[in-house]
Amino acid sequence: MNVKASRSDAYSILSEIKQTHRAVVSDRYVRHILKDNKVDLKMHLIDYLWNLGIRLGINRNNYKVPTGLYEFGTPSADSPVLVTCNYKLTFDYLRRYLKKDYWVLVIDTDGVNVWCAAGKGRFGTLEVVRMLLNTKLSVNHNEIILPQLAAPGVESHLVTKITKKKIIYGPVRIEDMDAFIEHGITEPMRHVTFNLKNRLLLAPIELISSLKYMGAAYLLGLLPFMPKETFWIFLAASAIGNVLHPVLLPVLPFKRFFLNGLLLSALLLPFVKADVTSIGVVMLGMLYTSFITLNFTGSTTFTSLTGVEREMSTAIPFMLKWGAVATLTVIVGILMEVL
Amino acid sequence: MKYLDVATLSFEKEKCIGCKRCLEVCPHQVFEMREGIELSHKDKCIECGACQMNCPASAITVKVGTGCASAVIKDYLKRFKSVRRFLKDKCC
């Protein structure tokens, strides 16, 4: 079920909760770290192995923690209450970085991370209210800490109105949570950053999912009159788009991603040989790089929908023309060989 | 890093009640506290909608969305019934 992120009122939230039935989530990924609701904070080899698999795209859409209230450390009635998503990768960040004692309420976001789930309304007012109403908290305070990045999905004043809980938005990164509890918020805790490590986290999964096209490129290269390097051209195009572009992102000259991609894809030019066909294939490779970099807009933390639509209004017609010219060049090249 | 400065964010200062929720939720510090709240870095807005959602006075409006080209393409393709079943909704 997809709940749209939009403003709503208390009545519609409550009536929707009555109609919502959630599926039970398997606990196979967390069974070894749970003793009743107590969480083992030590990361085990199996956690790292599964997490590595997720980063490589294996079972990425089914890596969930059952919803409910968990104990991190030995929380008391004074301990803070945190709310988080049910993505196991996120849950493991909590296990690694929370050193103080907390109650952690895991809500159902379909195994999607906090920010993405909030953007789609899944980490939303409805789910937060539903879980708060259905959970018995034995604490002597009234504060609930939500991740800051849940804010696009949650109307905090509405949650307060229905549940009478005070909603506090915590820091962006869970690493800062202990310091936030101790000393309160500081400016950097509220900033979303996009450093080299963040930019490269998605590179493995993108490279691997591009391999299926590499098979097609390999077969294309086997056809008569096609350049033998076809496979390598597309592999290089994928590497430039998926690895080099994220690395160089802060120093690239254009604001439009597809132009930066096109610029970097000039690295493919040495593949051009004396024949016309190779020019066409290299042009197709450049188009591929440019398309990958256009799609990287979705992985960044600083693009807006209106901006992306603006970029695409020039990028897509340009790419279609480029693709047409490239294909024609290949055909002309082959004809020249044949005739 | 900044993107194209075209975000649809707008802020009606007269409606603002000064609760500072927007300062709290914005991931790019678009709002600033001077004499009252000011919209001072609109060019950094990514249209996530956090401020609009959490403004109890409805002083903020923005066309909410995700700045993701493949999502835009997928949304376009979803209009065609025949291709809809081939599209997997696996990303955010």
Side-chain angles (χ1 to χ4, degrees), chain A residues 224-230 233 268-269 271-286 322-339:
Chain A
F225 308 114
M226 288 298 277
K228 283 185 204 66
E229 295 88 7
T230 304
I233 291 171
L268 295 174
L269 289 176
F271 281 109
V272 173
K273 297 277 145 56
D275 58 317
V276 179
T277 323
S278 74
I279 299 175
V281 175
V282 166
M283 279 181 76
L284 286 174
M286 293 173 81
W322 182 285
V325 171
T327 312
L328 269 178
T329 312
V330 172
I331 293 169
V332 168
I334 291 174
L335 287 178
M336 281 166 68
E337 300 272 334
V338 177
L339 304 175

Side-chain angles (χ1 to χ4, degrees), chain A residues 208-252:
Chain A
I208 285 178
S209 54
S210 77
L211 285 182
K212 52 179 179 276
Y213 307 114
M214 293 309 119
Y218 181 73
L219 293 178
L220 202 65
L222 293 181
L223 294 178
F225 308 114
M226 288 298 277
K228 283 185 204 66
E229 295 88 7
T230 304
F231 171 75
W232 296 108
I233 291 171
F234 281 97
L235 190 66
S238 169
I240 294 169
N242 288 316
V243 184
L244 192 62
H245 171 256
V247 170
L248 295 180
L249 190 64
V251 295
L252 291 172

Side-chain angles (χ1 to χ4, degrees), chain A residues 104-143:
Chain A
V104 174
L105 181 62
V106 172
I107 68 170
D108 184 3
T109 59
D110 278 337
V112 173
N113 71 69
V114 171
W115 207 9
C116 289
K120 289 271 187 267
R122 198 66 177 78
F123 195 129
T125 316
L126 179 71
E127 180 60 14
V128 172
V129 168
R130 188 183 78 90
M131 284 305 289
L132 285 177
L133 291 181
N134 290 334
T135 306
K136 193 171 159 21
L137 293 168
S138 38
V139 287
N140 56 20
H141 60 83
N142 202 26
E143 294 175 350

Side-chain angles (χ1 to χ4, degrees), chain A residues 302-319:
Chain A
F302 60 92
T303 53
S304 63
L305 176 61
T306 311
V308 168
E309 283 172 346
R310 176 70 61 88
E311 170 165 350
M312 289 177 78
S313 67
T314 47
I316 297 296
F318 174 83
M319 286 177 170

Side-chain angles (χ1 to χ4, degrees), chain A residues 195-204 242-244 246-247 296:
Chain A
N195 59 32
L196 184 66
K197 190 185 157 211
N198 299 152
R199 298 200 296 275
L200 279 177
L201 268 179
L202 290 176
N242 288 316
V243 184
L244 192 62
V247 170
F296 195 67

